[in-house]
Amino acid sequence: KVDPARCELNTLGLNHLTWHRGFKVDGEEMWGPILQGYVAELRQEEEPEFPPELVETLQMIPNYYLQYFYSTAHKLALQQAWPPSRAEEVMEVEKDLLKEYSDPALTAPPEDLMKRGGAYYSTVATQFINSHYNDLGETHVVNTVHNGAVAGWPKNWVLEMPCKIDRQGVHPLPAEPLPEACFGLIAQVKSYELLTARAAVSGDRNLLYQALLTNPLGPDAEQVETVME
C-alpha cells in the first residue's frame, strides 16, 4: 500500500463524469504501467466495465458512471432483471444502517456501509476540512468553479479537478483540456445542468423542455412533455 499523501491523481471532468489520465507517486508518473495493467484486466473479464479498445484509444480510465453513456444499451438491459431496482436495494440497506447508527456505542463505520456506496466520503471530507482549517495546502479533487484553470473552457463552469486547499479556500490547479471526444460529452451535460438551473430559478417551462432535450440520456422529444409533468 502507498500512503495517499505521496500520491497525485490527474483527473478532470464534471461530477460523476470524469476521466483519469495520470497518477504520480512521489512526483514520478506511474500512468503507463497502471493503464497497461487495467487494460489487461479488462481483456480477462467476461463482462468488462469498459471495452479495452475504448481505454486504449483514449489513454484514460473513465469514471464508473460513464458506463451509462458509453454502454447505454447494456445498462438498460441489466434493468430488465428488476425488481429490485438499485434504489429499492439502497432503501433496504439504509433501514439497517439507520438502526446501526442509532447505537450510541458505535465507534466505527458499520460494515453495511460498503453496500451503500460512497463509504469513503467521510474520510475525504475530513481530510479536506483538515487541510482547510490547518492551512496545509494539500491537493484534493473537488468540484469548484475552475476560473480559467482549464484553458479554452468557459471560466464559470464548475469542474471536478485537483485543487490546492488552504486557509484561504479552494484553488484550482492548471490542467490540460480533455480531448474533443470527452469535451463533446461534457459540453452537452454541462448545457443540461445550466438549462436546468435556469429553469428552476425562472420557472420557465421552455428552458425545462430544452434541458431534458439536451441531456444525452434524456427522453425522446415525444416523451419530454410527459417527463416534465
Side-chain angles (χ1 to χ4, degrees):
K1 292 183 178 181
V2 180
D3 182 358
R6 298 167 52 198
C7 304
E8 179 183 341
L9 174 65
N10 183 344
T11 187
L12 183 63
L14 308 179
N15 184 41
H16 288 179
L17 197 80
T18 52
W19 290 261
H20 310 314
R21 55 188 182 177
F23 190 83
K24 293 181 180 179
V25 178
D26 296 329
E28 181 181 355
E29 185 60 72
M30 308 294 292
W31 193 242
I34 289 176
L35 195 67
Q36 292 174 6
Y38 180 65
V39 170
E41 288 182 6
L42 292 177
R43 294 194 183 282
Q44 293 174 359
E45 295 174 358
E46 189 172 327
E47 291 189 8
E49 61 180 359
F50 294 108
E53 298 78 16
L54 184 153
V55 176
E56 287 183 317
T57 299
L58 294 178
Q59 288 293 293
M60 296 185 290
I61 298 178
N63 180 295
Y64 169 85
Y65 288 98
L66 275 156
Q67 289 183 81
Y68 290 97
F69 298 92
Y70 288 149
S71 304
T72 307
H74 176 65
K75 298 300 286 186
L76 288 174
L78 293 177
Q79 296 180 13
Q80 299 304 313
W82 293 2
S85 67
R86 174 57 179 160
E88 290 167 328
E89 289 178 344
V90 169
M91 288 167 68
E92 290 302 313
V93 169
E94 289 186 341
K95 285 182 182 179
D96 296 332
L97 281 174
L98 289 173
K99 288 180 182 177
E100 295 185 72
Y101 281 132
S102 67
D103 179 6
L106 185 67
T107 58
E111 292 184 8
D112 284 347
L113 186 60
M114 297 304 296
K115 301 177 184 177
R116 173 62 180 85
Y120 299 106
Y121 284 158
S122 55
T123 301
V124 174
T126 303
Q127 292 172 339
F128 176 92
I129 293 170
N130 181 47
S131 185
H132 170 57
Y133 183 81
N134 291 304
D135 200 25
L136 301 181
E138 295 176 342
T139 298
H140 292 276
V141 176
V142 299
N143 288 271
T144 188
V145 177
H146 77 95
N147 198 29
V150 182
W153 290 17
K155 293 183 178 181
N156 63 341
W157 278 11
V158 172
L159 301 177
E160 185 166 304
M161 61 188 303
C163 299
K164 177 183 176 182
I165 312 300
D166 58 20
R167 183 70 59 83
Q168 285 68 46
V170 177
H171 312 282
L173 299 176
E176 288 293 322
L178 289 166
E180 291 181 8
C182 303
F183 179 77
L185 178 56
I186 283 182
Q188 196 169 359
V189 174
K190 178 56 71 175
S191 294
Y192 159 74
E193 293 179 350
L194 294 171
L195 285 166
T196 301
R198 288 168 56 195
V201 171
S202 67
D204 188 328
R205 289 177 60 85
N206 287 335
L207 289 176
L208 178 57
Y209 185 101
Q210 293 172 36
L212 289 171
L213 197 64
T214 301
N215 192 312
L217 298 180
D220 293 337
E222 294 81 6
Q223 300 172 318
V224 169
E225 286 282 352
T226 301
V227 174
M228 285 173 60
E229 292 304 323

